[in-house]
Amino acid sequence: EVQLVESGGGLVKPGGSLRLSCAASGFTFSSYSMNWVRQAPGKGLEWVSSISSSGRYIYYPDSVKGRFTVSRDNAQNSLYLQMNSLRAEDTAVYYCARDASSSESYYYYWGQGTLVTVSS
Amino acid sequence: EIVMTQSPATLSVSPGERATLSCRASQSISSNLVWYQQKPGQAPRLLIYGVSTRATGIPARFSGSGSGTEFTLTISSLQSEDFAVYYCQQYNNWPRTFGQGTKVEIK
């Protein structure tokens, strides 16, 4: 059974940093691209980052480029999101999601999410 | 950036009735469109990929159609468990983008 478990969320002040983790199990982690998607309270879904299976290819939307860094450790079956210079508008539930397959980059499996609150 | 526009924002439907949700892309996305269902307090669940293919375990009452820039999710006979928010998403271009969602509520 595929499992994705996020951790690392919490309360942080504007301008602060936070590192999210996603522990993956139930599949060959090193074979899949992984993603972060967020959802602000009461709002819709927003894609935050994607990283290829090897970590060679990385993508971000303009809203987080230069502030967020995605990485992965295939030996530890883990995905990370380093978030710096956090703003109030980064407050959201952050979901880890796995690509459907090596050639289909939509999100077949999702974690339960971890809440990040940016507030003074 | 491809803008995904869903309509209506809210759809009020009685159980057993048909629901039709629309999603429009600002430019062609070929068949690279998915639909997700999200219930309160839960992560999104994949319903449909490649415009019209149901994900594993999704009932046949859910169907998707369309091409290019216009897409539709149809729920043929709404069940109580189908009242939720539905999102479309394109995976043709970077950045990946979602529609703003359609809430299907009980009439």
Side-chain angles (χ1 to χ4, degrees), chain A residues 42-60:
Chain A
K43 302 298 184 183
L45 300 168
E46 180 186 17
W47 166 73
V48 170
S49 66
S50 295
I51 183 168
S52 64
S53 56
S54 66
R56 180 177 181 184
Y57 300 102
I58 289 175
Y59 304 90
Y60 305 100

Side-chain angles (χ1 to χ4, degrees), chain A residues 14-74:
Chain A
S17 298
L18 210 57
R19 189 193 196 206
L20 305 184
S21 299
C22 172
S25 62
F27 64 100
T28 304
F29 182 73
S30 59
S31 295
Y32 292 87
S33 294
M34 297 295 296
N35 312 274
W36 291 98
V37 177
R38 69 184 179 183
Q39 186 169 37
K43 302 298 184 183
L45 300 168
E46 180 186 17
W47 166 73
V48 170
S49 66
S50 295
I51 183 168
S52 64
S53 56
S54 66
R56 180 177 181 184
Y57 300 102
I58 289 175
Y59 304 90
Y60 305 100
D62 288 346
S63 59
V64 307
K65 197 176 294 183
R67 301 187 300 121
F68 289 12
T69 302
V70 64
S71 62
R72 64 190 295 160
D73 183 339
N74 285 344

Side-chain angles (χ1 to χ4, degrees), chain A residues 63-90:
Chain A
S63 59
V64 307
K65 197 176 294 183
R67 301 187 300 121
F68 289 12
T69 302
V70 64
S71 62
R72 64 190 295 160
D73 183 339
N74 285 344
Q76 297 293 323
N77 292 339
S78 294
L79 175 72
Y80 305 102
L81 185 68
Q82 177 67 42
M83 303 185 295
N84 299 331
S85 303
L86 282 162
R87 307 165 180 167
E89 55 264 35
D90 296 318

Side-chain angles (χ1 to χ4, degrees), chain B residues 28-50:
Chain B
S28 177
I29 57 171
S30 186
S31 297
N32 296 315
L33 180 104
V34 294
W35 291 92
Y36 301 98
Q37 176 194 68
Q38 188 179 34
K39 297 179 180 179
Q42 296 184 16
R45 176 175 74 145
L46 180 68
L47 289 179
I48 301 280
Y49 61 92

Side-chain angles (χ1 to χ4, degrees), chain B residues 40-66:
Chain B
Q42 296 184 16
R45 176 175 74 145
L46 180 68
L47 289 179
I48 301 280
Y49 61 92
V51 175
S52 59
T53 303
R54 284 188 303 277
T56 302
I58 302 303
R61 63 180 181 272
F62 291 92
S63 63
S65 63

